[in-house]
Amino acid sequence: MADRLQKIMARAGIASRRKAEELILQGRVAVDGRVVTELGIKVDPETQTITFDGRPVTSEKKIYLLLNKPTGYVTTLSDPQGRPIVTDLLPDISQRVFPVGRLDFDTSGALILTNDGRLGHFILHPRFEVNKTYAATVAGRPDSRQLRQLEKGILIDGHRTWPAKVRILERKAAETTLELIIHEGKKRQVRKMLAAIGYPVKKLERTAYGELTLNGLQRGKYRRLTERDLKKIFSGKIPF
Ligand code: URA
């Protein structure tokens, strides 16, 4: 897809957009071998070759973010209904990132965003069994027999869920907060699992991917993930 040259350079991690404009004006950037000194031309990095000081401007620098998503945001990259989108919460990030898995509009909590497709693949593929932990509040008091159903696997949309780990985090007179650990990521899976045992979800938060927790990250804020954080997702060894 064609984009402005300075934007492509910023996404590739070469410089901020403004600094990239200076580099273009200085005659240090070429497209298909011809130096470009005017600003605003559009270039398609997939079919055209961009160089900076003679070196190719290629793949984007990889970036890994953890966002504490508030409710009231969609995790798609555009929304036909015009609702707020999660990338609105990343004003300082120039690279194009995508969310790893989805969180519903009315779910909050941990959301990883990256431009590295490998991370998405390894987190989402059930074969790699990355646990996702949720805190779900339901009205009433599910009993241990009902919770055991979730642990054994439950039929939703004709598919039996993998066994979940379930424990009670808090019991109040009229509601219960449960912790559910699952490694699948089907659409609205936790809501459907709890509805299937007769307890529709009132409030849902994702609290962790693997061992990576929000750990004090405020709602609406994000931080960059380190290699140590990435290891926590995969219990010690990054698979790529
Ligand atoms: N399960 C759900 O039902 N909703 C989410 O947002 C995430 C998991």
Side-chain angles (χ1 to χ4, degrees):
M1 197 179 68
D3 244 325
R4 284 178 196 274
L5 191 49
Q6 59 269 38
K7 193 167 166 190
I8 296 169
M9 291 175 65
R11 261 199 251 124
I14 289 180
S16 67
R17 269 191 226 181
R18 183 164 305 170
K19 184 84 184 127
E21 288 178 357
E22 283 172 29
L23 299 172
I24 293 167
L25 292 172
Q26 289 163 8
R28 295 170 67 182
V29 181
V31 176
D32 291 336
R34 290 176 52 188
V35 171
V36 171
T37 48
E38 72 268 40
L39 296 176
I41 69 154
K42 286 200 166 179
V43 179
D44 182 351
E46 297 198 354
T47 56
Q48 295 178 283
T49 307
I50 305 166
T51 52
F52 162 56
D53 282 350
R55 284 189 297 274
V57 173
T58 48
S59 63
E60 292 183 337
K61 206 167 143 195
K62 298 290 180 243
I63 177 170
Y64 308 95
L65 308 172
L66 177 67
L67 170 72
N68 187 344
K69 176 192 173 298
T71 58
Y73 284 79
V74 293
T75 53
T76 46
L77 295 181
S78 66
D79 184 51
Q81 296 174 44
R83 294 174 295 180
I85 61 178
V86 281
T87 46
D88 294 344
L89 296 164
L90 314 172
D92 304 326
I93 302 297
S94 56
Q95 287 109 315
R96 204 188 325 238
V97 291
F98 55 87
V100 176
R102 57 191 307 287
L103 280 184
D104 302 328
F105 183 71
D106 42 4
T107 301
S108 61
L111 182 70
I112 291 178
L113 296 113
T114 182
N115 57 359
D116 188 345
R118 297 170 306 169
L119 182 66
H121 172 74
F122 283 105
I123 289 181
L124 296 179
H125 202 294
R127 184 150 65 88
F128 300 101
E129 301 197 354
V130 170
N131 285 330
K132 289 108 194 166
T133 305
Y134 297 89
T137 304
V138 297
R141 296 173 147 247
D143 62 29
S144 54
R145 186 185 53 83
Q146 291 163 322
L147 298 184
R148 228 174 307 121
Q149 275 181 275
L150 301 175
E151 289 174 336
K152 282 199 300 202
I154 198 162
L155 213 54
I156 42 175
D157 303 336
H159 155 88
R160 184 164 293 281
T161 59
W162 285 76
K165 284 191 199 132
V166 185
R167 70 186 176 105
I168 292 169
L169 292 177
E170 193 180 12
R171 261 201 204 285
K172 289 192 188 153
E175 63 179 38
T176 307
T177 301
L178 302 166
E179 181 184 83
L180 260 88
I181 305 180
I182 60 176
H183 62 254
E184 295 167 288
K186 299 226 162 27
K187 200 169 173 188
R188 296 181 83 79
Q189 178 154 350
V190 173
R191 292 176 195 276
K192 286 181 179 174
M193 287 170 75
L194 287 163
I197 61 160
Y199 288 90
V201 166
K202 288 170 66 181
K203 191 172 152 210
L204 184 60
E205 178 184 17
R206 177 156 58 207
T207 56
Y209 288 80
E211 303 297 317
L212 179 71
T213 63
L214 287 165
N215 195 23
L217 184 65
Q218 282 179 12
R219 196 77 86 212
K221 301 283 182 216
Y222 72 92
R223 68 176 179 84
R224 287 170 192 265
L225 295 178
T226 61
E227 198 174 325
R228 195 156 158 248
D229 291 321
L230 292 177
K231 283 186 180 155
K232 283 189 186 171
I233 300 173
F234 298 104
S235 313
K237 192 162 179 293
I238 302 170
F240 53 87

